Amino acid sequence: MEPMISSDNFKHTPVLLHETIGALNIREDGVYVDGTLGGGGHSFEIAKRLKKGVLVGIDQDDYAIAAAKKRLLDFESKVTIVKSNFEHMNKVLKKLGYSSVDGILLDLGVSSFQLDEAKRGFTYRNSDARLDMRMDPDNTKDAVSILNTYEEDELTRLFREYGEERFASRIARNIVRKRQESPIETAGELNELIDMAIPAKYKRTGGHPSKRVYQALRIEVNDELAVLKNSIDGMIDLLSAGGRLCIITFHSLEDRIVKNSFRRNEDPCTCPKELPVCVCGKKSKGKVVTRKPITASAEELNANSRSKSAKLRVFERIK
């Protein structure tokens, strides 16, 4: 599918850029994967540092791929771009002839273009925008279908678990009532239902009242948490000795998955604590480089407000 919108419009300021590039420990002849290529900001800096090395960029968004190809044109001989989801990284690399790599990057943030472009339906700021939220335009499930088909208890669970929304049940009830009259399709319609459900005193802090519900819908549409949880072990297995996996998250649900997965790969032992020695036979795959996540500097926070919630965690492989 060819993008209908010019790749020139795809803007995304890469967060924690210098910290991430430093953490990857890039070798000139190494093999690296950017599993969330986006507009190619991180990939540009990786490719700049390669001589005989190669970079594989993966993304499921046609607009992002078009923008990245343009941005990385000077490094065409070093870069291979594949339309896919990072959950299929093993298959992608196998098809390209790589059994291991020296570094992997995931930047799980939504791009500025995806948030700001009304036609993508991610934003609550444009009341006339149709609610879409698909990272992959070929995905058959979008936010409109979820809002108009999920049962009330499913919507409540969704908003509570993925949006950490305290008024999830009220919002779900409003949605079900409204859709009995007519389908819910636009951001304005959803915003009104959310606003009605949240008491005034809770709207004074925490940003826009729709923010958490939109996060929950986006996660559900793209199956983001399950994909992340099911992919980390496989990506660690792809790393060569000394190779590093760098993951940038933007909310607590993602960060918790990354933190727990990294810890489990560092210390997989399941033996009872009272046993003097390990007998389960599970071996460590490496070490957690970042005991605490790396966050944006004051300088970056001033330049890019979207870096405020970004957290970088790093895992290094041993064999």
Side-chain angles (χ1 to χ4, degrees):
M1 170 180 170
E2 285 298 317
M4 294 179 291
I5 300 171
S6 169
S7 62
D8 292 336
N9 294 331
F10 196 104
K11 294 182 176 64
H12 182 54
T13 303
V15 301
L16 298 171
L17 178 60
H18 302 297
E19 294 86 349
T20 303
I21 297 302
L24 280 170
N25 280 350
I26 297 170
R27 292 175 19 218
E28 294 178 345
D29 60 348
V31 179
Y32 296 89
V33 183
D34 186 342
T36 49
L37 181 62
H42 286 104
S43 282
F44 184 89
E45 293 300 323
I46 295 171
K48 248 182 18 179
R49 290 161 171 78
L50 301 177
K51 289 189 177 178
K52 295 182 179 180
V54 296
L55 170 68
V56 178
I58 300 171
D59 207 290
Q60 58 186 335
D61 189 316
D62 298 285
Y63 305 101
I65 289 173
K69 283 181 177 178
K70 189 171 183 178
R71 188 167 193 173
L72 299 170
L73 196 59
D74 290 345
F75 308 108
E76 196 172 9
S77 61
K78 305 174 188 176
V79 177
T80 300
I81 297 175
V82 180
K83 182 182 177 182
S84 186
N85 188 298
F86 63 76
E87 67 176 320
H88 306 303
M89 191 178 294
N90 204 320
K91 292 180 182 178
V92 169
L93 292 172
K94 188 175 181 181
K95 191 173 181 180
L96 294 173
Y98 302 112
S99 58
S100 65
V101 298
D102 299 295
I104 299 170
L105 162 66
L106 297 183
D107 173 0
L108 301 175
V110 183
S111 72
S112 301
F113 172 81
Q114 289 166 330
L115 285 171
D116 297 337
E117 176 57 44
K119 291 182 181 180
R120 300 304 300 273
F122 284 95
T123 182
Y124 43 75
R125 297 187 184 96
N126 189 321
S127 60
D128 296 326
R130 184 184 186 277
L131 295 161
D132 190 317
M133 304 193 187
R134 293 175 296 170
M135 296 285 192
D136 179 356
D138 295 330
N139 186 355
T140 57
K141 179 170 66 175
D142 64 8
V144 167
S145 65
I146 290 170
L147 289 167
N148 290 288
T149 62
Y150 277 31
E151 298 293 338
E152 184 175 329
D153 61 343
E154 291 180 290
L155 289 171
T156 299
R157 175 199 59 80
L158 175 64
F159 301 150
R160 184 174 290 141
E161 291 184 10
Y162 293 172
E164 300 177 295
E165 172 57 66
R166 68 187 301 173
F167 300 105
S169 60
R170 289 188 184 189
I171 295 168
R173 193 178 308 123
N174 284 352
I175 289 169
V176 172
R177 285 175 180 167
K178 172 65 172 64
R179 76 191 191 194
Q180 289 171 350
E181 302 169 5
S182 61
I184 300 161
E185 296 188 345
T186 67
E189 291 170 326
L190 180 57
N191 290 347
E192 185 177 347
L193 297 171
I194 295 168
D195 188 69
M196 288 166 52
I198 301 176
K201 67 178 182 179
Y202 292 102
K203 297 175 191 174
R204 297 183 191 123
T205 58
H208 197 286
S210 295
K211 183 178 180 180
R212 291 178 293 276
V213 170
Y214 278 63
Q215 173 182 296
L217 285 168
R218 194 199 76 226
I219 289 172
E220 180 72 4
V221 168
N222 300 289
D223 203 20
E224 293 176 23
L225 297 184
V227 167
L228 178 63
K229 187 174 182 179
N230 296 333
S231 300
I232 293 176
D233 289 1
M235 288 188 287
I236 289 174
D237 289 341
L238 281 169
L239 294 172
S240 57
R244 288 185 167 187
L245 170 58
C246 298
I247 303 182
I248 302 171
T249 63
F250 287 83
H251 57 76
S252 60
L253 301 172
E254 292 173 336
D255 184 58
R256 195 175 304 127
I257 290 171
V258 176
K259 179 176 67 175
N260 291 339
S261 295
F262 280 8
R263 284 179 176 174
R264 178 173 43 77
N265 277 279
E266 180 180 57
D267 183 13
C269 179
T270 56
C271 294
K273 294 190 181 297
E274 58 267 21
L275 288 183
V277 293
C278 173
V279 294
C280 71
K282 295 179 179 178
K283 304 295 183 184
S284 173
K285 293 182 182 179
K287 64 179 181 179
V288 178
V289 177
T290 47
R291 291 300 160 189
K292 290 185 177 180
I294 297 170
T295 56
S297 64
E299 183 181 2
E300 182 172 6
L301 288 169
N302 288 331
N304 180 13
S305 62
R306 283 177 174 154
S307 66
K308 182 179 179 180
S309 55
K311 293 181 178 179
L312 168 64
R313 293 186 186 269
V314 183
F315 187 92
E316 183 175 306
R317 184 77 158 105
I318 58 171
K319 285 189 179 179

